[in-house]
Amino acid sequence: MSLYSFGLEPISCHAWNKDRTQIALSPNNNVVNIYEKKGKDWTKIDELTEHSGRITGIDWAPESNRIVTCASDRNAYVWTLKDGTWKPTLVLVRINRAATCVKWSPQENKFALGSGARLISVCYFEKENDWWLSKHIKKAIRSTVLSLAWHPNNILLAAGSADLHCRVFSTYIKDIEDKPGPTSWGAKMPFGEVMMEHKDCGGWVHSVCFSPSGDQLAWVAHNSSITVADATQNKTVTQLTTQHLPLLSVLYVNPTEIVAAGHDCCPYQYTYKAPGALEFVKKLDIPKQTAKVNMNAFKHFQNLDKKATEDDSKELATLHQNSITQLCVVSGASERVEKYSSVSLDGAMVIWTFQH
């Protein structure tokens, strides 16, 4: 594992380019900074400064090398690299509330954008007019869409929202793609069709993630739970309420293992084998060994009185010193992720190696 600091500002979201030599991240403001790996250090090479509100989502399409960003200014931009500079194209997302998250589809012919307007905009490029258009999924959503994840088939989209629901929608747009074949989630897939709806997730759904096969869907909610829905087992839902603080991001690292992280400042590993068999495996952060300082009796009892602990240090034993906001795959195929990254409110990014 390796830790890199990008300053004191919290990092709200990040995305990698195809060969993982560059990273786009937002220091919790209206700018996206692009850094390049030079030797052991990250050097800032560009700034994307079109938004007027706080950046809430970044995604970098590996094959087409386009970046999509969204922000609380209700806008989304698709950035294309032309002659060494990033040029923005405004997307007609047609929302009247802040955008909250954005994700490219696996084939990169469309992207999904969640917002506080209680809808999902599925945006695609129309060649005739040379612009990005959007179609809205409004059905059943009662509150802000907080998280999105694409199924490997490029059609199904999972969404977690603040109405305590997790849903799977069809995003089939007949103008730009062939008719999809049947999946374990269902066979009839017109645009906006609800393929699955889990009603009581117990809290806001902070993050969703499909398994490599697309047959399972994992999500984490604000009641400190992690849940898996299994489409091969009649969409059976297995929920595990943890003893940790709420998790904010979830990631499949192979067909059975899941990594999740959040307010506890370190990643945890979970395993899902079958309905009812979702289990906590271990904490993936090795605690720092701090040297014990001899303290007098007065100091000892003063610490117990003030801090309810004998420990005098202000540092957490974890690598990150604040909540982890997002996890991303760094290397390896989706069936066997070798390295993944985490960004945090402490302004740092850590690259972790997963031991299979």
Side-chain angles (χ1 to χ4, degrees), residues 104-126:
W104 280 109
S105 69
Q107 288 172 22
E108 301 172 21
N109 59 345
K110 56 187 175 181
F111 62 86
L113 177 117
S115 72
R118 302 203 301 264
L119 55 86
I120 298 165
S121 300
V122 180
C123 309
Y124 61 99
F125 191 71
E126 193 185 58

Side-chain angles (χ1 to χ4, degrees), residues 256-324:
T256 59
E257 304 306 305
I258 303 165
V259 171
H263 290 297
D264 265 340
C265 316
C266 64
Y268 295 112
Q269 183 184 340
Y270 297 89
T271 184
Y272 174 82
K273 298 280 198 314
L278 174 61
E279 291 164 9
F280 172 69
V281 180
K282 63 182 178 192
K283 182 178 172 178
L284 295 169
D285 195 341
I286 296 111
K288 291 179 198 162
Q289 297 297 319
T290 50
K292 279 272 184 199
V293 182
N294 288 327
M295 61 171 88
N296 59 27
F298 174 74
K299 189 79 176 153
H300 173 87
F301 287 110
Q302 191 182 35
N303 280 346
L304 275 176
D305 182 41
K306 275 188 177 173
K307 304 173 186 171
T309 173
E310 297 173 24
D311 196 9
D312 200 24
S313 90
K314 291 184 178 69
E315 266 199 24
L316 296 175
T318 52
L319 267 178
H320 280 298
Q321 294 297 299
N322 210 326
S323 306
I324 292 171

Side-chain angles (χ1 to χ4, degrees), residues 42-57:
W42 290 91
T43 312
K44 188 168 159 184
I45 55 164
D46 225 325
E47 275 191 359
L48 312 184
T49 56
E50 201 67 27
H51 286 285
S52 59
R54 188 177 77 88
I55 307 279
T56 52

Side-chain angles (χ1 to χ4, degrees), residues 140-265:
I141 304 170
R142 293 279 166 269
S143 189
T144 303
V145 177
L146 297 174
S147 50
L148 297 167
W150 285 95
H151 187 280
N153 76 349
N154 205 65
I155 302 293
L156 299 182
L157 178 74
S161 62
D163 59 6
L164 320 188
H165 283 52
C166 189
R167 302 177 179 89
V168 176
F169 296 102
S170 165
T171 67
Y172 166 55
I173 299 169
K174 63 175 184 283
D175 301 350
I176 61 162
E177 51 203 347
D178 300 330
K179 199 172 181 198
T183 69
S184 51
W185 297 94
K188 205 165 168 238
M189 289 186 269
F191 182 85
E193 182 76 12
V194 181
M195 311 300 285
M196 186 208 81
E197 180 174 44
H198 185 64
K199 289 195 165 63
D200 190 21
C201 297
W204 308 316
V205 181
H206 288 301
S207 179
V208 286
C209 185
F210 276 105
S211 64
S213 65
D215 290 335
Q216 288 83 32
L217 174 70
W219 66 85
V220 290
H222 201 70
N223 64 340
S224 301
S225 68
I226 177 167
T227 312
V228 174
D230 196 333
T232 59
Q233 306 289 331
N234 207 13
K235 299 178 191 171
T236 307
V237 172
T238 307
Q239 188 174 55
L240 174 69
T241 306
T242 70
Q243 299 299 307
H244 314 304
L245 293 175
L247 300 158
L248 295 176
S249 189
V250 64
L251 192 69
Y252 260 98
V253 287
N254 66 32
T256 59
E257 304 306 305
I258 303 165
V259 171
H263 290 297
D264 265 340
C265 316

Side-chain angles (χ1 to χ4, degrees), residues 30 50-57 68-78 89-102 111 113-119 121 123 134 136:
N30 64 333
E50 201 67 27
H51 286 285
S52 59
R54 188 177 77 88
I55 307 279
T56 52
V68 62
T69 59
C70 69
S72 57
D73 59 7
R74 311 190 296 279
N75 286 327
Y77 291 97
V78 174
T89 311
L90 182 66
V91 183
L92 299 170
V93 286
R94 299 181 291 125
I95 54 176
N96 59 3
R97 295 286 185 278
T100 51
C101 48
V102 67
F111 62 86
L113 177 117
S115 72
R118 302 203 301 264
L119 55 86
S121 300
C123 309
S134 66
H136 285 174

